[in-house]
C-alpha cells in the first residue's frame, strides 16, 4: 500500500516555540511537552485541543492455537470477556469511565482461526474480511467524531500468534519472544514455545510480507487491528497503542503502509517480550510502565488522562 501522509510538523514546531517561550526551564514539562507536540501535529492545530471523544475499539476472535494448552484459560474465556465488556463490568469499562471514552466491541472471524502450528490461520477471503472489518471500525469511529482511538484485543491465546509474528518480522528465535501471557506455568510455556517454533517454521514461505504473515500465522482479530491502525492513520486520527497484540499489529500496519507509525503514541509497556520488541522497532517509548497484563486497552486508557493533561498544560488552560 502507498505511504501514509505525515502529521503536520509545522503545528508541532509552532507548539515547540510556544513552550520555549514560557518562563520555565527548557523542557521543564518533560514528556508532557512531547505528547502535546504529537497531538498538535496530528490535529494540525497549535495548541492542540484536549481529546473530547476518545473511543475504545476491542476486537474479539477465537484462536485455534488456544486448544494446544498455550494459555492459562480455556478458549471459552474469550466469550466471557466479551460479555463482561458488553455488560459494563470489565476493567476496561471502569477505566473508560474515568477517561471519558466510549467502548465498542467488534467480533471478527467465522469460528476459531486455524491452529497455526499445523495450518494457516485464515483463508485469503477470511483475511480480507478481517482487514475490511478493521477499516470499517476506524471509519465508523472517525465519522462519529472520535478524536483519539484506543484499540485492544480480547482473545484467549492471542499472545502465541503475536510472538510468531514478532519473531518473523524481526528475525528472532522463539525463546526471545515467548512470554508468560496469561500467567502460564513452565509446562505451558514449553508448549507455547514449541507452537511458536512450529508456526515460525511454517511462516518462512511468506517471508516478511505483512498480509501473508497474517494469513498464515496471525488471526482475524490481528488482521482487523492492522486494518484499523492503517485506516486511522489515513484518516489522520491519533491512536494510543497498548499491549503486545496491538503493538505487533502496529508493526505489521507500518510495514504495510509506511509512515503510519507517526500517528501513534505508545501508552504502556506490558510484560510480553514481543511488545517490547515491536516498540523498539517502531521507535516508540511508552508513557507508562505499569506491568499490566490485562490487555483490552487497559494500559492505553490509563494514559488518556495524561494526553488530556499534556494538551491543557501546553495551552495554558
Amino acid at each position: 500500500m502507498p505511504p501514509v501522509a505525515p502529521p503536520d510538523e509545522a503545528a508541532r514546531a509552532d507548539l515547540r516555540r510556544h513552550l520555549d517561550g514560557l518562563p520555565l526551564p527548557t523542557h521543564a514539562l518533560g514528556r508532557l511537552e512531547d505528547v502535546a507536540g504529537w497531538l498538535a501535529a496530528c490535529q494540525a492545530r497549535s495548541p492542540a485541543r484536549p481529546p473530547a471523544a476518545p473511543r475504545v475499539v476491542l476486537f474479539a476472535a477465537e484462536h485455534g492455537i488456544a486448544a494446544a494448552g498455550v494459555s492459562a484459560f480455556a478458549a471459552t474465556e474469550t466469550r466471557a470477556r466479551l460479555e463482561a465488556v458488553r455488560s459494563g463490568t470489565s476493567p476496561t469499562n471502569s477505566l473508560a469511565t474515568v477517561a471519558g471514552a466510549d467502548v465498542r466491541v467488534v467480533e471478527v472471524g467465522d469460528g476459531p482461526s486455524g491452529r497455526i502450528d499445523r495450518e494457516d490461520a485464515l483463508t485469503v477471503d477470511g483475511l480480507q474480511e478481517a482487514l475490511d472489518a478493521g477499516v470499517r471500525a476506524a471509519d465508523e469511529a472517525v465519522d462519529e467524531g472520535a478524536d483519539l482511538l484506543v484499540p485492544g484485543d480480547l482473545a484467549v491465546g492471542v499472545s502465541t500468534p503475536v510472538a510468531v509474528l514478532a519473531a518473523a518480522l524481526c528475525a528472532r528465535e522463539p525463546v526471545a519472544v515467548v512470554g508468560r501471557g496469561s500467567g502460564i506455568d513452565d509446562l505451558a510455556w514449553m508448549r507455547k514455545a514449541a507452537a511458536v517454533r512450529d508456526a515460525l517454521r511454517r511462516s518462512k514461505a511468506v517471508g516478511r510480507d505483512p498480509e501473508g504473515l497474517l494469513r498464515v500465522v496471525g488471526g482475524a482479530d490481528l488482521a482487523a487491528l492492522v486494518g484499523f491502525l492503517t485506516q486511522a492513520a489515513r484518516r489522520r486520527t491519533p491512536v494510543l497503542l497498548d499491549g503486545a497484540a496491538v503493538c505487533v499489529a502496529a508493526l505489521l500496519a507500518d510495514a504495510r503502509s509506511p509512515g503510519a507509525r507517526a500517528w501513534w503514541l505508545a501508552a504502556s509497556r506490558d510484560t510480553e517480550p514481543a511488545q517490547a520488541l515491536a516498540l523498539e522497532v517502531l521507535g516508540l517509548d511508552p508513557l507508562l510502565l505499569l506491568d499490566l497484563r490485562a490487555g483490552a486497552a487497559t494500559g492505553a486508557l490509563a494514559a488518556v488522562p495524561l494526553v488530556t493533561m499534556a494538551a491543557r498544560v501546553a495551552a495554558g488552560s
Side-chain angles (χ1 to χ4, degrees):
M1 297 183 71
V4 171
D8 188 333
E9 291 305 321
R12 194 195 308 262
D14 184 64
L15 183 69
R16 181 71 263 160
R17 286 190 294 271
H18 166 69
L19 292 170
D20 288 343
L22 296 177
L24 294 170
T26 301
H27 213 61
L29 297 173
R31 293 201 62 195
L32 289 179
E33 296 183 11
D34 300 331
V35 174
W38 169 75
L39 195 61
C42 290
Q43 294 180 357
R45 182 182 190 275
S46 177
R49 295 182 301 269
R55 174 170 294 185
V56 178
V57 182
L58 302 178
F59 294 94
E62 296 179 76
H63 288 270
I65 196 64
V70 296
S71 173
F73 297 98
T76 53
E77 179 70 15
T78 297
R79 178 57 53 180
R81 295 175 184 177
L82 180 62
E83 294 306 320
V85 173
R86 284 182 167 159
S87 67
T89 59
S90 75
T92 299
N93 299 101
S94 300
L95 289 166
T97 299
V98 176
D102 69 346
V103 180
R104 306 291 174 92
V105 176
V106 179
E107 292 188 74
V108 287
D110 184 16
S113 63
R115 184 170 158 169
I116 58 173
D117 59 340
R118 301 175 178 175
E119 59 186 342
D120 290 351
L122 301 166
T123 64
V124 172
D125 288 345
L127 170 63
Q128 191 60 54
E129 289 169 5
L131 288 167
D132 290 345
V135 170
R136 286 194 302 273
D139 281 337
E140 179 181 281
V142 176
D143 290 344
E144 292 178 359
D147 55 3
L148 180 65
L149 299 177
V150 183
D153 71 280
L154 288 171
V156 170
V158 71
S159 65
T160 299
V162 163
V164 179
L165 291 167
L169 283 167
C170 304
R172 296 295 197 276
E173 293 297 320
V175 70
V177 294
V178 177
R180 295 283 175 173
S182 53
I184 55 178
D185 60 20
D186 289 345
L187 286 175
W189 187 91
M190 287 188 284
R191 289 193 294 269
K192 184 175 179 179
V196 171
R197 177 201 63 205
D198 293 346
L200 187 59
R201 187 177 298 129
R202 295 187 61 259
S203 77
K204 293 187 184 302
V206 294
R208 297 184 183 180
D209 173 60
E211 294 188 12
L213 287 170
L214 285 167
R215 180 181 59 79
V216 174
V217 293
D221 50 351
L222 294 166
L225 279 166
V226 169
F228 182 88
L229 290 164
T230 302
Q231 188 66 3
R234 295 195 179 282
R235 294 295 303 269
R236 305 184 68 82
T237 305
V239 177
L240 289 179
L241 304 181
D242 172 49
V246 172
C247 292
V248 171
L251 196 59
L252 287 157
D254 190 70
R256 186 171 176 251
S257 296
R261 71 179 73 183
W263 294 92
W264 308 327
L265 188 71
S268 175
R269 177 169 291 151
D270 66 14
T271 58
E272 286 294 294
Q275 191 218 27
L277 179 60
L279 291 178
E280 179 184 349
V281 174
L282 289 168
L284 299 176
D285 188 19
L287 286 173
L288 302 172
L289 303 177
L290 299 177
D291 292 334
L292 293 173
R293 292 194 304 177
T298 49
L301 281 167
V304 170
L306 281 179
V307 176
T308 300
M309 291 176 194
R312 289 197 180 281
V313 75
S317 61

